[in-house]
Amino acid sequence: MTRVLPTLECVPASLGHLMAPQDALELSEVLKALADPVRLRLLRFVAEAPDTTACACHLPPALGISQPTLSHHLKRLVEAGLLIREQRGRWAHYRTHPASLAPLIEVLTALAGTPEDASPR
């Protein structure tokens, strides 16, 4: 006995919701920067530092990594626009750049949808 499933009409998605290629490229760079545990810890450390500014001199002991490794990770976060680097004498100070997370938050919010959108289709 063959079971016949009801057919549902296929409605094409609107291309208006498709992310622009350049936006996707830029966001992917932010996601690549965030896809490392050390960089996530660094970003959170800086975000929670007093005045949201952290001196590079305080970071190596807190993370248990070498200075060259720290420099590499900080450079990646700066290149992705997640941190802003400011030279103060001998030391570099870093602060978060919250606006750089706005596109990521927007995409994740859209992906998560609203509770009404969570129902199975």
Side-chain angles (χ1 to χ4, degrees):
M1 177 176 201
T2 304
R3 184 173 167 196
V4 178
L5 297 174
T7 58
L8 299 175
E9 190 173 325
C10 180
V11 179
S14 167
L15 292 180
H17 296 292
L18 189 59
M19 181 183 284
Q22 185 61 35
D23 292 344
L25 180 63
E26 291 169 9
L27 186 57
S28 72
E29 292 303 317
V30 171
L31 290 168
K32 286 177 194 176
L34 290 173
D36 183 282
V38 171
R39 289 194 284 271
L40 279 174
R41 291 178 68 209
L42 270 171
L43 189 63
R44 177 94 183 250
F45 182 88
V46 173
E48 293 179 350
D51 301 323
T52 66
T53 301
C55 177
C57 64
H58 296 130
L59 297 174
L63 291 166
I65 59 176
S66 68
Q67 184 63 43
T69 301
L70 173 68
S71 295
H72 166 75
H73 288 301
L74 288 169
K75 181 180 177 185
R76 289 290 310 269
L77 290 169
V78 170
E79 288 172 347
L82 295 166
L83 288 180
I84 297 169
R85 183 182 189 277
E86 178 184 332
Q87 193 69 35
R88 295 184 192 170
R90 181 177 163 205
W91 292 104
H93 290 253
Y94 295 87
R95 60 187 167 90
T96 58
H97 188 231
S100 65
L101 290 175
L104 177 61
I105 292 168
E106 182 181 319
V107 166
L108 291 175
T109 301
L111 290 174
T114 60
E116 297 83 39
D117 293 337
S119 61
R121 295 182 184 192

